[in-house]
Amino acid sequence: MEDMKQLQEEIHRDRRGFLKKVLAGTIGGSLLMVYSASGREIAEQIPGMREEDTVFTKKNFIFIVDITRCIGCGSCCIADKNEYNVPDGNYRTWVERYIIDDHDEVFVDSPNGGLDGYTKPRTDIPYPVRDTFFVPKLCNMCEKPSCTQVCPVGATYKSEDGFVLIDEKRCVGCGYCIQACPYSVRFLHPVTKTASKCTWCYHRVRDGLLPACVSVCPVQARKFGDLNDKTSEVYKIMREPHIISVLKPGMGNEPQLHYLGLRREVV
Amino acid sequence: MSAVAASGESLAAISNFVFPNDLHVHWSLMIVLYPYITGLVAGAFIVSSLYHVFHIKSLKPVAQFSLLFALAFLICATWPLMNHLGHPERAMSMMLTPNPTSAMAGFGYIYSAYFIVLLLEIIFIFRPTVVALGAKATGFMKTVYTILAIGSDNVSAKALKLDHKIISFLAAIGIPMACVLHGYVGFIFGGIKANPLWATPLMPLIFLLSACVSGIAGIILTYIILMKVSGKKVDIECVQTLIKFLWGFFILDFVFEMLELFSHFYMATHHWHTLEALYSGPLFTTFWVYQVGIFSVIPFFLLMAMSLIKFKDGILLFFAPIVSIMILLQVILMRWNVVVGGQLMSKSERGATTFHPMWFEKEGIAVAIFIMIAPVVILWLIGKVLPFWQTEEGTETA
Amino acid sequence: MEKKYKSSYFAHVLKLAVILVVAGGLGIFARGIFLPETMGQYGHYRGSDIQDQRDVAIRNQTNDACFECHRPIRLIHKAGVHKTVSCEVCHGPYADHVKDGKVIGKLPVKRGMEIKELCLRCHNKVIKARPETVIKVVAMPQHLEEKKVQITHNCNQCHMVHDPLLWVRAAYEMAGVPMKEEKK
């Protein structure tokens, strides 16, 4: 155990050194630097996206959430909130925690949509836990969306390339689409007074970047890609034998959001 | 049984999880009022059609009044909607670019068409009266009557015959239109598959029947009150007939409401597990205690007694308004339990949120009261121009 | 005997018909004026909204975007165990910091015990739902007790936040002890 003590001292001394070197260097260095760093120079994350010049992309994007990898850190929620300045209390994406005890009772929670992370274990589970996991939620980008069906004015629509979007300039704010969405991904934006929801970061995707949540996920639990591209990860996942399912298949909405390793308890 | 349990039990274990976006109730008081008001319109119109089309002679005293009653409420039917919209200034988009697949998009056109039919019918029915009043009036009122008579003073037998034909035609298309208007409002809810409380083909029917019920009750109540206030004699036969119709429609209405619930219960799909929790939880008081227990069962038996037993006029006139008020409350409770109740249950199928309307907010109670008073004021204003009641001799000619 | 009327017996019907037709015509005319230009271009929606959607500002960039200026951190972060962790999750979005290549604002930096909170967001063992094959988790304060330090120690006293194993590895090297590859 004497070893350990020495070790700690080393670490301590070493840490201070590093701190001085590294951090002073960082700040000093960056102060002197002048860069022309615009979004364009950032490497493309979706291959071939920036060459496209058509109104709609020819790619066939799908989204896969890997339940077996999500650590519930809420990075995606933070990035999403930052990307869109989502008002408090509304969620374009959120992360749910499922706990199933050995009496098959299901406990779900999602404090502040997982935005603040999960800091406390649940203490109100009466029996030993059989299974517990995180389920991130976002727009399902249905093949047959029920929200666009009900919009009275054609303000929300499914584009030719499969994205369900909302025209902020035409939405009347009636809230019908919010009622019609089986997944409750829509909300009424308190500032614009229009319906709002996750767009799979359409603007980023068309610019060759991955959706913000996919880009920041530290464990690749969120995957986004082109199903037409045989080399893409999503293509490989979809054609290999995995447990892949969608939410509420009985609704008949045919989501393009797929879940890997989804348990049947998840709604 | 066990098959249901196998897939259902774990889902049925309600642990009170509500999707984060489901904590807000987006459709609140205003959307409760909207079907309520259109229901009153449709119901009142049907009362007048019973006289004009089906020739129920005993309803003659209220035939004209119920049209004006319908008009007053129809004018206000869009108010709650406009107040509810996030962007009321864009409301015209519904007429401009109606989405053919949307249940709501038709509202603009159905509403306008119905408005035109109702207005035309009023113009034709009141034309002889208007011409006569116009002849006596001076100044501003004369202009008003000239406009209402569409600039014509011809009330010859030939003209009235033509009018009569048009009135029959309008009343005849008016009935299906009233049914469409309100059945359609029911469909706005009934067509939402994501909400198990709403998604039932019975919804349009229930809405339509409750519309008839509320309209008839509204007419009974206002008729008796207006007669008492103005010291005129209440036509007992008319009230008796209205009560009978009210009972008839209410039997259907109540039975279908209960059948709808019972079907859900009996089929016991996984939807029932959520509905069950809803009916035994957040909706227990407003649904079971108020809507069903107090305001359906009691009026049901009162109406039965009033229809089957011949009471003294005084007793009839005492209970008729009470029953009408109870029915009016039953219908608004039903609207509440459907519109708000449906949203309390989260689409997570695991829990329910709560909703308490506030007095002073954009869609609050104060505004709701204002919107419910407005048609009464409009009706009073209409009464300044057009007579509610026909004179003894029937339609007066100059 | 017939009374003489100024208007013919069908005058009002005719006038009403004209009014309705004119109103309908006005409606169609108004529709022509107010209809958004690109409505129906690709479907029942405003076609130009596609461009509007593309024009939404990108606020989060990638880690590469930060590396362009923060060179030293890049050397550490890119090679370290935290290479998959996004700078912007811990510090805030690019758009709040840099615009057109110029620094326009400061990004928040977590200090003190906030750092511990930050680390435990991902590494806390008490949250059982975390798949342990995906992320290494530690229990607090056992992790500190194991290391024989006071439990008031902060994570960044031993772990360099941008590459948590940098100092640890260096320390092991200095001590000449081989680092445990896999626990358990």
Side-chain angles (χ1 to χ4, degrees):
Chain A
M1 283 299 99
E2 198 55 40
D3 284 2
M4 203 61 208
K5 217 168 181 177
Q6 262 181 342
L7 185 69
Q8 258 122 52
E9 272 165 22
E10 285 297 341
I11 291 169
H12 270 250
R13 204 146 24 83
D14 193 53
R15 193 188 70 85
R16 287 201 194 90
F18 259 103
L19 209 71
K20 277 209 188 78
K21 266 216 304 278
V22 175
L23 296 190
T26 311
I27 294 165
S30 37
L31 270 172
L32 296 172
M33 285 183 284
V34 182
Y35 276 94
S36 60
S38 72
R40 274 277 145 202
E41 280 157 40
I42 310 303
E44 192 174 60
Q45 289 176 312
I46 304 169
M49 203 63 207
R50 287 182 188 158
E51 274 93 76
E52 280 196 355
D53 56 353
T54 44
V55 178
F56 300 104
T57 166
K58 299 275 177 297
K59 301 193 191 316
N60 177 13
F61 287 114
I62 65 159
F63 205 116
I64 299 179
V65 172
D66 189 347
I67 302 292
T68 60
R69 289 195 68 82
C70 180
I71 59 170
C73 64
S75 292
C76 44
C77 305
I78 296 178
D80 189 68
K81 197 173 173 82
N82 285 342
E83 186 76 17
Y84 299 96
N85 290 320
V86 185
D88 290 345
N90 300 290
Y91 306 88
R92 293 171 75 111
T93 184
W94 68 95
V95 179
E96 292 164 8
R97 169 170 60 182
Y98 272 72
I99 299 175
I100 305 168
D101 71 15
D102 63 3
H103 280 56
D104 278 353
E105 254 189 274
V106 185
F107 299 83
V108 192
D109 66 345
S110 183
N112 197 14
L115 183 67
D116 309 324
Y118 286 84
T119 50
K120 286 188 198 72
R122 268 186 83 147
T123 50
D124 54 347
I125 316 292
Y127 301 107
V129 173
R130 161 161 73 79
D131 192 8
T132 169
F133 49 89
F134 290 108
V135 184
K137 295 278 182 80
L138 64 155
C139 179
N140 284 253
M141 291 294 167
C142 308
E143 208 72 69
K144 301 198 167 64
S146 39
C147 50
T148 61
Q149 181 189 26
V150 303
C151 176
V153 299
T156 182
Y157 58 90
K158 187 175 144 219
S159 71
E160 238 166 72
D161 42 12
F163 287 79
V164 177
L165 302 169
I166 301 166
D167 185 345
E168 260 188 24
K169 299 206 181 86
R170 298 206 70 240
C171 175
V172 294
C174 67
Y176 203 18
C177 54
I178 300 173
Q179 309 292 356
C181 174
Y183 307 101
S184 284
V185 302
R186 289 178 169 246
F187 58 90
L188 204 71
H189 196 293
V191 179
T192 63
K193 308 265 187 242
T194 56
S196 185
K197 72 163 184 75
C198 159
T199 56
W200 286 10
C201 286
Y202 188 74
H203 60 300
R204 292 174 65 92
V205 172
R206 295 307 304 271
D207 201 39
L209 296 178
L210 287 171
C213 58
V214 178
S215 179
V216 301
C217 181
V219 291
Q220 288 81 47
R222 291 178 178 238
K223 301 165 206 290
F224 179 83
D226 178 10
L227 212 50
N228 294 340
D229 175 3
K230 304 244 179 326
T231 61
S232 69
E233 191 187 2
V234 291
Y235 177 81
K236 285 180 191 142
I237 293 174
M238 290 304 277
R239 67 185 286 265
E240 279 163 12
H242 290 292
I243 303 171
I244 303 174
S245 41
V246 296
L247 296 174
K248 296 194 181 180
M251 281 290 163
N253 278 28
E254 299 178 14
Q256 299 184 67
L257 163 66
H258 301 263
Y259 282 87
L260 201 59
L262 195 69
R263 325 295 206 267
R264 69 176 165 83
E265 287 84 358
V266 178
V267 176
Chain B
M1 263 327 261
S2 59
V4 173
S7 69
E9 207 164 49
S10 57
L11 291 175
I14 299 295
S15 60
N16 252 337
F17 173 62
V18 177
F19 281 148
N21 286 327
D22 279 347
L23 288 164
H24 311 271
V25 167
H26 289 286
W27 284 4
S28 60
L29 274 182
M30 292 301 125
I31 309 298
V32 172
L33 284 191
Y34 151 68
Y36 189 60
I37 294 179
T38 50
L40 285 169
V41 174
F45 189 86
I46 287 186
V47 171
S48 118
S49 303
L50 286 175
Y51 171 74
H52 287 294
V53 182
F54 299 106
H55 305 293
I56 313 278
K57 288 278 176 288
S58 50
L59 293 185
K60 192 176 178 189
V62 293
Q64 213 166 289
F65 169 68
S66 47
L67 279 180
L68 299 178
F69 181 92
L71 179 68
F73 278 90
L74 193 61
I75 288 172
C76 299
T78 51
W79 295 12
L81 290 181
M82 295 302 263
N83 182 40
H84 163 74
L85 285 189
H87 284 276
E89 79 281 4
R90 298 178 188 166
M92 269 304 161
S93 299
M94 299 223 188
M95 309 282 283
L96 218 54
T97 58
N99 179 3
T101 62
S102 167
M104 195 185 273
F107 181 73
Y109 282 99
I110 295 180
Y111 174 84
S112 313
Y114 187 65
F115 203 111
I116 291 170
V117 167
L118 183 62
L119 214 55
L120 287 179
E121 187 163 349
I122 289 175
I123 286 174
F124 281 107
I125 286 182
F126 280 86
R127 215 173 58 85
T129 322
V130 165
V131 171
L133 288 168
K136 279 178 242 157
T138 51
F140 173 69
M141 284 313 278
K142 193 168 183 78
T143 326
V144 172
Y145 285 122
T146 314
I147 293 172
L148 282 176
I150 319 293
S152 165
D153 66 343
N154 196 323
V155 283
S156 63
K158 210 172 164 193
L160 290 184
K161 208 169 154 227
L162 177 66
D163 283 5
H164 191 75
K165 274 191 191 148
I166 294 174
I167 291 169
S168 302
F169 172 73
L170 286 174
I173 62 166
I175 300 170
M177 284 195 72
C179 294
V180 167
L181 176 72
H182 209 73
Y184 161 79
V185 172
F187 179 68
I188 287 183
F189 296 95
I192 295 298
K193 65 178 172 189
N195 190 320
L197 187 79
W198 294 350
T200 155
L202 276 183
M203 200 52 92
L205 186 66
I206 295 175
F207 264 59
L208 189 57
L209 289 168
S210 57
C212 298
V213 165
S214 68
I216 300 172
I219 296 290
I220 298 179
L221 182 66
T222 35
Y223 175 61
I224 294 179
I225 290 180
L226 285 177
M227 284 295 144
K228 291 267 178 227
V229 168
S230 60
K232 293 203 187 78
K233 203 176 157 310
V234 181
D235 186 325
I236 291 295
E237 205 195 327
C238 173
V239 173
Q240 270 168 345
T241 314
L242 283 171
I243 290 284
K244 285 208 176 101
F245 273 105
L246 184 57
W247 188 45
F249 277 112
F250 188 62
I251 293 173
L252 292 176
D253 179 33
F254 188 48
V255 164
F256 276 110
E257 278 172 22
M258 291 298 108
L259 269 182
E260 196 261 333
L261 188 65
F262 182 75
S263 311
H264 268 306
F265 160 74
Y266 192 77
M267 294 187 289
T269 60
H270 74 286
H271 280 159
W272 174 246
H273 300 297
T274 12
L275 290 180
E276 193 179 26
L278 190 69
Y279 282 121
S280 60
L283 283 190
F284 185 81
T285 332
T286 50
F287 183 78
W288 288 116
V289 178
Y290 291 121
Q291 184 189 329
V292 175
I294 299 177
F295 293 109
S296 291
V297 173
I298 297 176
F300 187 89
F301 286 108
L302 273 177
L303 281 170
M304 179 154 62
M306 285 158 82
S307 306
L308 300 180
I309 306 168
K310 188 134 183 54
F311 287 113
K312 284 206 198 95
D313 293 357
I315 297 179
L316 185 72
L317 289 185
F318 175 74
F319 278 111
I322 293 178
V323 153
S324 302
I325 290 173
M326 292 185 89
I327 293 281
L328 284 170
L329 287 174
Q330 194 270 355
V331 176
I332 203 160
L333 279 163
M334 175 260 181
R335 305 286 193 245
W336 170 277
N337 288 329
V338 170
V339 176
V340 175
Q343 296 170 80
L344 291 182
M345 170 181 50
S346 172
K347 288 165 188 160
S348 70
E349 301 176 4
R350 289 210 154 81
T353 177
T354 54
F355 175 69
H356 300 288
M358 311 270 258
W359 273 92
F360 301 103
E361 57 183 357
K362 185 175 160 234
E363 300 183 36
I365 303 172
V367 180
I369 290 175
F370 171 78
I371 289 178
M372 281 316 288
I373 290 176
V376 179
V377 175
I378 292 176
L379 189 60
W380 176 77
L381 284 176
I382 292 176
K384 296 268 153 210
V385 181
L386 297 173
F388 289 161
W389 324 110
Q390 289 178 321
T391 45
E392 284 304 311
E393 318 83 66
T395 333
E396 38 187 349
T397 27
Chain C
M1 216 32 224
E2 267 278 293
K3 203 182 145 214
K4 269 268 160 268
Y5 296 107
K6 275 181 265 155
S7 348
S8 68
Y9 78 94
F10 55 80
H12 57 291
V13 183
L14 205 66
K15 280 180 193 161
L16 278 173
V18 171
I19 291 173
L20 282 180
V21 169
V22 169
L26 279 178
I28 293 171
F29 178 69
R31 183 170 193 267
I33 292 177
F34 291 111
L35 202 65
E37 222 164 76
T38 54
M39 189 75 203
Q41 195 177 1
Y42 311 115
H44 191 77
Y45 59 93
R46 191 170 59 90
S48 51
D49 188 51
I50 296 288
Q51 194 54 46
D52 290 359
Q53 297 281 350
R54 296 182 68 165
D55 290 344
V56 172
I58 295 178
R59 287 175 43 78
N60 283 290
Q61 282 289 357
T62 57
N63 283 3
D64 287 344
C66 312
F67 294 151
E68 283 191 27
C69 300
H70 294 281
R71 280 259 169 91
I73 290 208
R74 164 181 156 185
L75 298 176
I76 301 165
H77 193 91
K78 241 184 163 165
V81 285
H82 266 176
K83 58 179 173 294
T84 57
V85 185
S86 164
C87 313
E88 287 162 300
V89 166
C90 294
H91 289 296
Y94 184 91
D96 286 353
H97 185 41
V98 180
K99 199 180 163 211
D100 301 325
K102 304 244 160 50
V103 174
I104 53 161
K106 273 195 170 186
L107 286 184
V109 180
K110 297 260 190 319
R111 304 280 181 205
M113 281 307 151
E114 274 177 4
I115 295 178
K116 187 169 171 177
E117 244 171 61
L118 188 66
C119 308
L120 291 179
R121 201 187 166 108
C122 298
H123 291 287
N124 201 346
K125 195 172 189 148
V126 293
I127 307 299
K128 292 282 189 293
R130 261 169 210 146
E132 295 202 14
T133 47
V134 178
I135 190 154
K136 300 277 195 303
V137 287
V138 290
M140 282 297 146
Q142 288 88 321
H143 180 58
L144 301 179
E145 286 164 2
E146 236 174 62
K147 304 279 171 294
K148 301 279 186 304
V149 293
Q150 283 173 326
I151 56 165
T152 51
H153 262 52
N154 203 348
C155 312
N156 67 332
Q157 283 180 276
C158 303
H159 296 289
M160 159 77 194
V161 289
H162 297 118
D163 174 8
L165 287 188
L166 189 69
W167 299 329
V168 175
R169 259 197 227 102
Y172 270 107
E173 246 164 58
M174 278 177 215
V177 187
M179 194 165 155
K180 278 176 281 177
E181 273 310 312
E182 266 312 314
K183 297 225 292 183
K184 278 186 290 191

